Amino acid sequence: MQLRHVRTLLAPQDGTARVTCMAWSASSARFAVCTAERVVLLYDEQGERRDKFSTKPADAKYGRKSYVVKGMAFSPDSTKLAIGQTDNIVYVYRIGEEWGDKKVICNKFIQTSAVTCLLWPAENVIVFGLAEGKVRLANTKNNKSSTIYGTDSYVVSLTSNVSGRGILSGHADGTIVRFFFDDEGSGESQGKLAVHPCPPYALAWASNSIVAAGCDKKIVAYGKEGSVIQTFDYSRDSSEKEFTTAATSPSGQSIVIGSYDRLRVLNWSPRRSAWEEGKPKEIAHLYTITALAWKRDGSRICAGTLCGGVEQFDCCLRRTIYKNKFEITYVGPSQAIVKNLSTGTRLVLKSQYGYEIDEVKILGKDRYLVAHTSDTLLLGDVSSNKLSEVAWKGSGGNEKFFFDNENVCMIFNAGELTLVEYGSNDILGSVRTEFVNPHLVSVRINERQQRGVDENKRLAYLIDIKTIATVDLVGGYTAGTISHDSKIDWLELNETGHKLLFRDKKMRLQLYDIESSTKMTILNYCSYVQWVPGSDVVVAQNRNSLCIWYNIDAPERVTMFPLKGDIVGLERSDGKTEVIVSEGVNTVSYTLDEGLIEFGTAIDDGDYHRATAFLETLEMSTETEAMWKTLSRLALEARQLHIAERCFAALGNMAKARFLHETNVIADQAAQEHGGDGTDHYLVRARLAMLDKNYKLAEMIFLEQNATEEAMDMYQELHMWDECIVVAKAKGHPMLEKLRRGYYQWLLDTQQEEKAGEVQEGQGDYLAAINLYLQAGLPAKAARLAMDRDELLTNTDVIDRISTALIRGELYEQAGDLFERVGNPRKALECYGKGSAFLKAVELARLAFPAEVVKLEEAWGDHLVQQKQLDAAINHYIEARCSIKAIEAALGARQWKKAIYILDLQDKQTVAKYYLKIAQHYAALQEYQVAEELYIKGGQTRDAIDMYTQAGLWEQAHKVESEAKASVNLSHLLALKCMSQEEVSVLYITQAQEMERQGKYKEAERLYITVNEPDLAITMYKKCKMYDEMVCLVAKYHKDLLGDTHLHLGKELEAEGRLQEAEYHYLEARDWKSTVNMYRVNDMWEEAYRVAKAHGGANSHKHVAYLWAKSLGGEAAVKLLSKFGLLEMAIDHATDTGAFEFAFELAHLSMKQKMPDIHLKYAMFLEDEGKFEEAEGEFIKAGKPKEAVLMYVPSTSWPAASALSLQCQPGCLSSSGLLLVILVVPSRVPVNLIPRFVHNQNWDAAQRVAEAHDPDSVADVLVGQAQFAFEQREFQKAEAFLLRAQRPELAIKYYKVSESEAASLSSSLDKIPV
């Protein structure tokens, strides 16, 4: 920690003016300084002097200078100031809460010696030391003082620990004594702790040790039990003077010790567990420091000097700015001050256990503080100034904090939700959950005060996505668990924590009452729901309706209004509640009935008079009626009977209103006589129990007061005579017999003969009771009484009357019992039969009439069949030997095995039809073997065959193939035993066609195969376009046709546009060209290329790529061919195949060096086509003008052509025989050029081309023209051409040749090589 001088609060004087003592208030808002003139100066938190007052001597006669102030301390509430003086007195001044309040002495404690030092560590407790060595305590509440402990040495210093629960005193003999008001479980000893080498004027009690210093220039740190743990020796420092005073920081982790011109700072190092000396603060000419006072938030320390000056220093380890909104000052390792830069408000964050604070974060809209230490977590609410520190092991900073609730912080870490209430240093609760969305957790902490409830803290959270748990956080137990059938996406408790609203994914709004554990759906299609703050009113939206429950205790009563938009919020302020609705671009507010909302609040507050007054202003409606009922119930529970009477009157329940009115009269009289409200009077309590229909409680209340008459009157008034007589009998009331007679007569008068008979029976008058029972039409009751009394059984008149009444009432069983009891078995048996009491009838017949037992058994069975008790009837039919009825009963009761057992004992011809029904049952159960046996036993072999056929088809869908085939083969074998092969085939084909119509193709196939008709199965699959199954059958039964089938299917699928499937079949048929062509036609070149490359020859894919590029053209074609590396080859191929336009396009875009070759080939192509003018242009573009000249006239002229003809094709010469060989003929000239030499004689064009593009060929053209002229015998013209060509010698040669034409020709032919 570093000290930085801030300001001078009080300027020093030139001489000695000792500042005797100083003190900061607990709120840090006030600072007091006592000067040498015994005047107390009061400063505010910013260091501005705001007030002052003078102290008073113990006795005015000694004057104002007769004493010195030695100690001063503020009270914990900062409204009082205690001052200890050397004139043997301690004054307590009330300085008020505002500056300028009048200063009044409220306590004074006179002592026997001078006060030397003073502390005020706790409320009403002032501790001070005396010159005589005593340490005393002054109680400001009773204005008395007492001695805590005494010594024989002057008390030179006094200090307390950080919590104020313990004190240390330093004495002139060096003794240091410790005393605890509460050791807080530390177990540390009290009494003499250590002996310092000199008087410890500078004494400080830090968190981890005690530090003392004095005139020996040594600072000694003592352990918790007084052992020396550290010493700082400055005795050899000549600049150091004696230590005069010391102060401990509020966190207990720093100590400042004052001496001459110097403040020394000691900081506790948790890592080293030792004190470390900080850089001392030296101020020249400060002189001796006489007093130190540390501000309670740890941010400032003030030093008073011998010359009367007061200097203020800033104490800070480090200071940071958080988000440009808060300044965080770390005044100690375990304490930080958070200051809001905009408002100036400050909050002190301090670890109560002295742990070092790592980092402070401000979260939750800049309202909440979060800080970690090594073992704890600190939380704070800036707005309410509530701080919490809870034990918290380091979790790597992975916690998630939720600040949606103003009273509690929700912390989620590693699947555990922890709740910390602001202002509490204990964890409120912890539960395991994976759902930490604030909408899925609801916490209510004392949000609305309730009658008789001090602490109300509830939590609701999700155990899983469909289960809610509610927890009582006060008791720490689970209050209930709610299971739901759908995922829950929102939940919230009301403010009292007694009701829970939650909504599921199906938009259903549920209300759960925690006390009664009842759940009900109150709204469907709920898109918004919220509790109205400060009440139990619910607002929700259902599609286009606003739904309001003003009384949630009656959820069926809901107020609805139409809406045009969606609810976006709920606001309640200034006595007004509004629902905010967004209607597109506009926002509309709907105001709720504040009166109805206030009713709920009044109920919760227990102000029933206010609730009644409010309800009286409303017209009666469904909501109002529900509120009156709620108020009536609560008023009765609270015994506010006048209000309850008013409620029942409003509800129109005049009986209860009148009853309560009478009760109120009694209560008012009792209140006048005995005081109170009269509701404790026994008559009032009994009547309330009667109103609650708890008559036993009312009776108990009456009997406790020995009010037997009142209890009896109550029962008589309620016509509860039995209870009345019981009370009279229990109390030995003299009117008991009269009551009984009156009760009996009342029963007769009200025609309650049955009750009267019971009374007579209870009194032993059985004949009278029987007569009354018969009169009441209860002969069975009379018969029971007669059979219980033997003397009545001998009275034939009574028995006849009872039996006649029983038979008339068709109570035959009771009549039979009576006849059997009097010894008349025949009538008894007859009555048993009529009353269907066959058990008693059979038992009686076995004893008295054995021959009738069989008949009774059959009748018994018939009766049971009529009663639909077929199972029970079977055995009775068997006993009666009625086999057919037994079989039918067994079938009706579905007792199949028992029916088979009975059938097997009967003649097969008689019972054949029953076998069929049982067989059908077993066939339905798939027990085919048993069913087959039953069909055969019943002679229904054809049905057995049908069963197996149908079973085979059905099993194909539900069982494995082997089982299905087994069932079909079994039916086939059975059919062959009973039918011809043709009949079996017809049967199976018919059945297969039926299965085909039903879409059961596999079953139909299996039937076709069974009768060796695979072609029918193939046709079926083809018709249904189930080609895979069709191909499988073809491969199995017509392997030679498999390729043709694939090819045919490929064409069909291609026509249908199912190209991928068509490809498969084409390739299976080994016809990849069809596949490629199919994809080409459909412009699917990638697929065509893929197939050609995978299945075609070495160059097939290149050809496809060429065609693909040709279809694209332009840059796309070039890119494609370049991608495949086929660009040059494609150009050559296009040229060779005559696709010159495509070749030109490719070469122009990518390979311009090939353009001349393409032009040359194109020229030759045009020449062959006879398009000489176009060919001429292409030859020139190709840079071959000579070729263009040769096209029009060969350079060898006609003689060359003649020689060429003789050399290659002798029959091509003309008959004139005039052409001669003049020039040398090329050694190898293609035969197809000869016609070109002969027919292409366009001399003008040849000369034009030669002159324009190939001057070297002009002479050849002129020679050629001369040769042509010689042929035409135009010798003069020929000579002119040769002279122009500068070849006159050729004319001479020509003339020589013409003279001997034949010889020359022969000679020429001889020279032509063969």
Side-chain angles (χ1 to χ4, degrees):
M1 185 182 67
Q2 298 177 352
L3 299 181
R4 180 178 60 86
H5 184 265
V6 177
R7 63 185 300 178
T8 300
L9 299 184
L10 187 62
Q13 301 180 21
D14 292 336
T16 301
R18 179 189 183 97
V19 174
T20 57
C21 51
M22 299 186 301
W24 277 97
S25 66
S27 64
S28 298
R30 295 181 177 185
F31 176 59
V33 177
C34 186
T35 66
E37 289 79 18
R38 304 161 193 84
V39 175
V40 177
L41 306 178
L42 295 176
Y43 294 83
D44 61 15
E45 188 175 6
Q46 285 72 36
E48 299 293 334
R49 196 170 81 180
R50 305 296 296 274
D51 207 347
K52 71 175 183 176
F53 66 92
S54 299
T55 59
K56 296 182 179 180
D59 193 338
K61 66 181 180 180
Y62 296 113
R64 299 182 61 84
K65 297 184 179 181
S66 62
Y67 65 94
V68 175
V69 175
K70 298 291 288 185
M72 182 168 60
F74 277 95
S75 63
D77 63 1
S78 304
T79 61
K80 298 176 183 177
L81 188 66
I83 295 178
Q85 303 175 177
T86 57
D87 55 352
N88 306 348
I89 196 167
V90 175
Y91 282 115
V92 178
Y93 291 85
R94 181 181 289 109
I95 60 176
E97 297 181 356
E98 301 294 334
W99 301 111
D101 287 352
K102 186 177 180 181
K103 312 302 183 290
V104 179
I105 296 175
C106 56
N107 298 94
K108 63 180 179 178
F109 303 94
I110 301 174
Q111 305 300 317
T112 57
S113 63
V115 178
T116 59
C117 44
L118 180 142
L119 295 174
W120 197 332
E123 189 72 30
N124 302 322
V125 175
I126 301 173
V127 179
F128 52 89
L130 301 179
E132 62 186 13
K134 293 181 181 178
V135 176
R136 292 177 61 81
L137 180 149
N139 191 319
T140 58
K141 192 172 184 180
N142 56 24
N143 207 30
K144 293 182 180 180
S145 61
S146 59
T147 300
I148 301 176
Y149 58 86
T151 66
D152 296 331
S153 180
Y154 185 97
V155 181
V156 297
S157 57
L158 198 62
T159 187
S160 66
N161 61 2
V162 175
S163 64
R165 303 292 180 87
I167 59 172
L168 282 175
S169 62
H171 299 265
D173 61 358
T175 303
I176 300 175
V177 180
R178 180 167 60 190
F179 177 80
F180 284 108
F181 299 105
D182 180 3
D183 65 1
E184 301 174 283
S186 66
E188 297 175 7
S189 62
Q190 297 189 120
K192 184 177 179 180
L193 181 67
V195 177
H196 195 66
C198 63
Y201 280 95
L203 184 63
W205 192 350
S207 298
N208 298 282
S209 64
I210 295 164
V211 175
C215 57
D216 61 353
K217 302 182 184 181
K218 294 181 181 178
I219 301 174
V220 181
Y222 296 95
K224 293 184 179 180
E225 294 301 327
S227 59
V228 176
I229 60 175
Q230 233 175 327
T231 301
F232 299 90
D233 189 353
Y234 304 101
S235 59
R236 296 184 180 181
D237 185 353
S238 59
S239 64
E240 187 62 87
K241 306 295 182 182
E242 65 180 21
F243 296 110
T244 55
T245 184
T248 307
S249 68
S251 64
Q253 293 182 319
S254 296
I255 293 175
V256 172
I257 302 172
S259 61
Y260 183 83
D261 284 351
R262 185 181 288 119
L263 292 171
R264 290 195 178 272
V265 181
L266 298 181
N267 297 315
W268 178 258
S269 173
R271 288 183 292 275
R272 294 180 56 241
S273 296
W275 290 101
E276 294 179 346
E277 185 179 7
K279 182 179 180 181
K281 188 69 175 178
E282 298 184 6
I283 302 177
H285 310 299
L286 188 64
Y287 299 108
T288 301
I289 296 172
T290 58
L292 288 173
W294 213 314
K295 193 175 180 182
R296 297 303 292 268
D297 64 8
S299 63
R300 298 281 193 274
I301 187 171
C302 294
T305 67
L306 182 65
C307 295
V310 177
E311 307 294 336
Q312 190 177 73
F313 298 88
D314 176 74
C315 308
C316 175
L317 288 177
R318 68 181 187 273
R319 182 178 283 108
T320 60
I321 302 297
Y322 189 86
K323 294 182 179 179
N324 293 323
K325 296 180 180 179
F326 294 89
E327 179 187 72
I328 303 175
T329 304
Y330 294 87
V331 297
S334 62
Q335 185 170 339
I337 301 172
V338 180
K339 178 181 178 181
N340 190 318
L341 297 177
S342 60
T343 63
T345 57
R346 295 152 60 93
L347 182 67
V348 180
L349 195 63
K350 178 181 178 182
S351 172
Q352 303 296 326
Y353 305 98
Y355 296 123
E356 183 175 353
I357 298 174
D358 294 335
E359 183 183 5
V360 179
K361 296 180 180 178
I362 304 170
L363 308 173
K365 298 180 180 179
D366 299 331
R367 176 176 174 178
Y368 301 97
L369 306 180
V370 177
H372 287 85
T373 70
S374 58
D375 295 307
T376 61
L377 175 68
L378 289 90
L379 300 167
D381 184 350
V382 175
S383 62
S384 63
N385 207 23
K386 292 181 179 179
L387 300 175
S388 301
E389 183 175 14
V390 297
W392 192 266
K393 291 298 180 183
S395 58
N398 295 321
E399 308 95 343
K400 291 183 179 179
F401 297 90
F402 296 92
F403 302 100
D404 299 79
N405 192 300
E406 293 184 351
N407 301 312
V408 65
C409 177
M410 294 184 288
I411 311 170
F412 181 73
N413 182 38
E416 185 170 3
L417 177 65
T418 303
L419 304 178
V420 179
E421 183 179 2
Y422 300 117
S424 173
N425 292 329
D426 295 316
I427 291 177
L428 182 61
S430 181
V431 295
R432 298 288 300 179
T433 180
E434 295 295 333
F435 306 94
V436 291
N437 187 321
H439 297 302
L440 299 177
V441 179
S442 179
V443 187
R444 295 294 189 180
I445 308 294
N446 298 328
E447 296 188 25
R448 213 163 70 225
Q449 195 63 35
Q450 303 172 71
R451 299 185 311 277
V453 179
D454 296 330
E455 292 284 329
N456 181 33
K457 302 177 181 181
R458 294 290 180 96
L459 164 68
Y461 69 99
L462 286 184
I463 298 176
D464 57 51
I465 198 65
K466 296 182 179 180
T467 308
I468 304 173
T470 58
V471 180
D472 188 319
L473 297 172
V474 177
Y477 61 87
T478 300
T481 303
I482 308 114
S483 297
H484 196 52
D485 57 359
S486 183
K487 293 181 180 180
I488 298 166
D489 66 357
W490 181 90
L491 62 85
E492 189 172 14
L493 291 163
N494 70 336
E495 292 177 348
T496 61
H498 294 154
K499 295 187 183 296
L500 173 69
L501 283 174
F502 65 92
R503 186 183 66 185
D504 59 25
K505 290 289 186 180
K506 297 180 180 178
M507 309 296 285
R508 296 177 299 182
L509 182 61
Q510 310 283 331
L511 173 66
Y512 181 78
D513 189 296
I514 295 176
E515 293 182 350
S516 63
S517 299
T518 56
K519 179 181 72 171
M520 67 181 300
T521 302
I522 62 173
L523 191 65
N524 291 316
Y525 307 107
C526 175
S527 58
Y528 177 90
V529 60
Q530 191 65 50
W531 294 98
V532 173
S535 72
D536 284 342
V537 176
V538 177
V539 173
Q541 182 175 2
N542 169 22
R543 290 180 174 170
N544 294 325
S545 298
L546 169 63
C547 306
I548 307 167
W549 287 267
Y550 287 106
N551 184 8
I552 198 61
D553 291 323
E556 71 280 358
R557 304 180 186 275
V558 56
T559 304
M560 302 182 73
F561 299 101
L563 287 180
K564 294 182 180 179
D566 296 324
I567 300 177
V568 295
L570 188 66
E571 295 181 357
R572 190 179 191 196
S573 60
D574 300 328
K576 186 177 182 182
T577 304
E578 293 182 328
V579 179
I580 310 302
V581 179
S582 174
E583 297 181 352
V585 296
N586 299 322
T587 300
V588 181
S589 62
Y590 291 76
T591 303
L592 303 186
D593 191 327
E594 193 65 25
L596 296 177
I597 298 175
E598 281 298 323
F599 170 79
T601 307
I603 290 295
D604 290 328
D605 295 343
D607 192 349
Y608 298 143
H609 290 282
R610 179 158 59 96
T612 305
F614 161 69
L615 288 179
E616 286 177 342
T617 63
L618 303 178
E619 296 182 0
M620 184 59 69
S621 64
T622 54
E623 293 85 2
T624 310
E625 182 181 353
M627 292 177 186
W628 279 115
K629 288 182 178 179
T630 301
L631 182 58
S632 66
R633 174 175 56 80
L634 296 174
L636 281 176
E637 291 175 359
R639 291 191 179 182
Q640 297 191 19
L641 305 183
H642 288 283
I643 294 176
E645 177 188 348
R646 176 67 186 90
C647 292
F648 286 118
L651 291 169
N653 192 336
M654 301 312 298
K656 285 188 176 182
R658 183 174 63 253
F659 186 83
L660 283 171
H661 177 72
E662 296 170 356
T663 305
N664 282 324
V665 172
I666 297 172
D668 292 341
Q669 292 176 353
Q672 292 177 0
E673 295 174 3
H674 308 290
D677 59 359
T679 56
D680 289 332
H681 193 270
Y682 79 94
L683 279 177
V684 176
R685 291 188 289 117
R687 288 177 69 85
L688 290 177
M690 292 164 60
L691 187 64
D692 197 32
K693 295 183 173 56
N694 193 345
Y695 303 116
K696 282 296 180 183
L697 176 61
E699 174 192 331
M700 182 182 69
I701 294 171
F702 281 130
L703 295 182
E704 284 176 352
Q705 301 295 325
N706 201 25
T708 307
E709 293 289 345
E710 285 88 342
M712 293 170 60
D713 290 343
M714 173 188 72
Y715 282 129
Q716 290 182 55
E717 185 178 357
L718 296 170
H719 298 295
M720 299 173 68
W721 291 93
D722 291 330
E723 290 80 358
C724 180
I725 292 171
V726 169
V727 171
K729 185 176 181 180
K731 292 296 184 179
H733 198 276
M735 301 295 291
L736 177 60
E737 291 301 323
K738 184 177 179 181
L739 279 172
R740 285 176 172 170
R741 289 194 300 273
Y743 180 31
Y744 179 70
Q745 188 58 46
W746 178 77
L747 290 174
L748 293 178
D749 293 342
T750 56
Q751 297 181 354
Q752 299 184 51
E753 288 85 359
E754 179 185 3
K755 194 66 178 176
E758 291 174 356
V759 172
Q760 292 297 89
E761 183 179 350
Q763 294 176 2
D765 191 351
Y766 302 117
L767 284 176
I770 288 175
N771 290 332
L772 288 170
Y773 286 145
L774 292 175
Q775 185 178 350
L778 300 171
K781 209 164 187 177
R784 175 193 56 76
L785 179 59
M787 287 187 287
D788 289 342
R789 311 303 302 180
D790 292 337
E791 65 271 17
L792 295 177
L793 292 176
T794 59
N795 191 330
T796 57
D797 180 56
V798 171
I799 297 301
D800 289 343
R801 288 169 56 206
I802 294 175
S803 61
T804 301
L806 288 170
I807 294 171
R808 188 184 307 116
E810 297 183 353
L811 299 173
Y812 296 111
E813 184 175 357
Q814 290 84 347
D817 291 338
L818 184 61
F819 281 128
E820 186 176 358
R821 186 68 184 275
V822 298
N824 191 344
R826 175 54 63 182
K827 284 192 174 182
L829 186 62
E830 182 181 347
C831 289
Y832 283 144
K834 290 181 179 179
S836 299
F838 292 103
L839 177 60
K840 294 180 179 180
V842 169
E843 290 177 354
L844 179 60
R846 284 174 179 163
L847 296 174
F849 311 103
E852 297 185 17
V853 172
V854 173
K855 182 179 178 182
L856 285 171
E857 288 283 0
E858 183 179 1
W860 193 354
D862 293 340
H863 172 72
L864 290 174
V865 170
Q866 291 177 358
Q867 298 297 319
K868 305 299 181 183
Q869 301 180 29
L870 302 177
D871 194 4
I874 298 171
N875 291 330
H876 295 292
Y877 282 135
I878 293 174
E879 292 288 337
R881 299 184 180 86
C882 298
S883 301
I884 300 300
K885 288 186 176 182
I887 293 169
E888 291 177 347
L891 294 176
R894 304 182 70 81
Q895 296 287 337
W896 309 103
K897 293 184 178 180
K898 187 176 288 188
I900 293 172
Y901 172 75
I902 300 172
L903 284 170
D904 289 342
L905 300 176
Q906 311 303 319
D907 179 37
K908 298 294 187 292
Q909 299 292 333
T910 307
V911 296
K913 62 180 181 179
Y914 298 112
Y915 279 113
L916 176 62
K917 187 172 183 180
I918 301 174
Q920 290 172 349
H921 166 72
Y922 280 104
L925 294 179
Q926 301 180 12
E927 297 186 18
Y928 302 117
Q929 191 65 39
V930 178
E932 177 193 343
E933 293 175 2
L934 293 173
Y935 276 129
I936 294 174
K937 286 180 180 180
Q940 301 293 332
T941 306
R942 183 61 178 266
D943 289 341
I945 296 170
D946 292 340
M947 173 195 72
Y948 275 121
T949 303
Q950 295 173 4
L953 295 171
W954 185 87
E955 279 187 349
Q956 184 64 28
H958 301 280
K959 289 192 173 185
V960 296
E961 184 71 20
S962 59
E963 293 179 354
K965 288 183 177 179
S967 65
V968 173
N969 292 338
L970 199 58
S971 69
H972 189 54
L973 292 174
L974 182 61
L976 290 176
K977 293 178 183 178
C978 308
M979 304 169 64
S980 67
Q981 183 64 44
E982 291 76 12
E983 291 176 332
V984 172
S985 296
V986 172
L987 172 66
Y988 273 65
I989 291 172
T990 303
Q991 187 66 30
Q993 291 171 348
E994 178 62 28
M995 294 298 102
E996 185 180 343
R997 282 192 292 272
Q998 296 176 9
K1000 299 179 179 180
Y1001 301 113
K1002 279 292 182 184
E1003 290 82 348
E1005 174 198 334
R1006 202 148 42 78
L1007 287 175
Y1008 283 134
I1009 299 303
T1010 303
V1011 295
N1012 298 319
E1013 291 290 347
D1015 291 345
L1016 294 177
I1018 292 171
T1019 304
M1020 172 188 71
Y1021 282 131
K1022 181 180 180 182
K1023 182 171 63 176
C1024 297
K1025 296 186 179 181
M1026 298 172 66
Y1027 297 129
D1028 292 340
E1029 292 80 357
M1030 172 186 170
V1031 168
C1032 289
L1033 291 179
V1034 171
K1036 187 173 182 179
Y1037 296 101
H1038 299 289
K1039 198 169 185 179
D1040 55 327
L1041 300 176
L1042 183 59
D1044 294 339
T1045 302
H1046 277 299
L1047 193 59
H1048 176 71
L1049 290 177
K1051 292 178 180 179
E1052 283 197 4
L1053 290 170
E1054 180 181 356
E1056 294 174 7
R1058 297 160 64 181
L1059 305 184
Q1060 292 289 342
E1061 299 175 49
E1063 174 190 339
Y1064 167 75
H1065 289 289
Y1066 276 137
L1067 295 178
E1068 288 293 322
R1070 303 183 183 278
D1071 188 359
W1072 65 271
K1073 292 183 179 180
S1074 296
T1075 309
V1076 171
N1077 187 58
M1078 173 185 70
Y1079 283 131
R1080 281 184 56 202
V1081 171
N1082 289 277
D1083 201 23
M1084 298 173 66
W1085 289 100
E1086 290 185 8
E1087 299 297 326
Y1089 181 81
R1090 173 182 58 79
V1091 172
K1093 189 171 183 180
H1095 301 280
N1099 295 317
S1100 57
H1101 66 284
K1102 298 179 181 179
H1103 183 65
V1104 172
Y1106 169 77
L1107 296 176
W1108 185 2
K1110 191 173 181 181
S1111 68
L1112 294 174
E1115 292 283 354
V1118 172
K1119 289 181 181 179
L1120 179 68
L1121 292 170
S1122 298
K1123 174 183 175 183
F1124 294 133
L1126 301 174
L1127 181 59
E1128 187 172 358
M1129 187 204 76
I1131 294 173
D1132 293 340
H1133 183 71
T1135 304
D1136 294 340
T1137 56
F1140 294 104
E1141 184 177 353
F1142 183 50
F1144 281 128
E1145 185 178 9
L1146 294 177
H1148 177 71
L1149 293 173
S1150 60
M1151 299 184 73
K1152 294 185 178 180
Q1153 68 273 17
K1154 292 189 70 68
M1155 289 291 286
D1157 294 338
I1158 301 172
H1159 280 296
L1160 179 60
K1161 291 182 180 180
Y1162 187 31
M1164 296 172 68
F1165 171 76
L1166 293 174
E1167 181 183 353
D1168 292 340
E1169 293 293 323
K1171 300 177 181 179
F1172 303 116
E1173 293 183 0
E1174 297 177 26
E1176 173 191 332
E1178 295 300 323
F1179 276 128
I1180 293 171
K1181 290 178 182 178
K1184 300 290 186 179
K1186 194 172 188 68
E1187 294 294 332
V1189 174
L1190 292 177
M1191 174 182 68
Y1192 289 117
V1193 53
S1195 59
T1196 57
S1197 72
W1198 283 104
S1202 300
L1204 183 61
S1205 298
L1206 293 175
Q1207 184 183 28
C1208 303
Q1209 198 171 349
C1212 72
L1213 284 173
S1214 64
S1215 57
S1216 64
L1218 298 176
L1219 296 179
L1220 298 175
V1221 178
I1222 299 174
L1223 302 175
V1224 179
V1225 181
S1227 61
R1228 293 185 61 87
V1229 179
V1231 174
N1232 60 352
L1233 291 181
I1234 297 173
R1236 190 183 89 181
F1237 292 155
V1238 177
H1239 298 291
N1240 294 353
Q1241 298 187 37
N1242 189 340
W1243 302 109
D1244 295 336
Q1247 187 170 350
R1248 174 178 51 79
V1249 173
E1251 290 175 352
H1253 301 284
D1254 190 13
D1256 294 338
S1257 300
V1258 173
D1260 292 339
V1261 174
L1262 292 173
V1263 170
Q1265 291 184 41
Q1267 292 172 353
F1268 182 75
F1270 279 125
E1271 181 184 356
Q1272 299 296 323
R1273 301 293 180 174
E1274 296 177 359
F1275 301 114
Q1276 188 176 1
K1277 191 175 182 179
E1279 290 178 7
F1281 282 127
L1282 291 173
L1283 290 175
R1284 286 175 59 191
Q1286 297 180 0
R1287 299 293 296 277
E1289 70 277 6
L1290 291 180
I1292 298 171
K1293 290 182 181 181
Y1294 175 77
Y1295 285 125
K1296 290 180 179 180
V1297 172
S1298 61
E1299 292 176 355
S1300 55
E1301 182 180 356
S1304 298
L1305 181 60
S1306 176
S1307 176
S1308 299
L1309 291 174
D1310 290 340
K1311 293 178 180 179
I1312 295 176
V1314 179

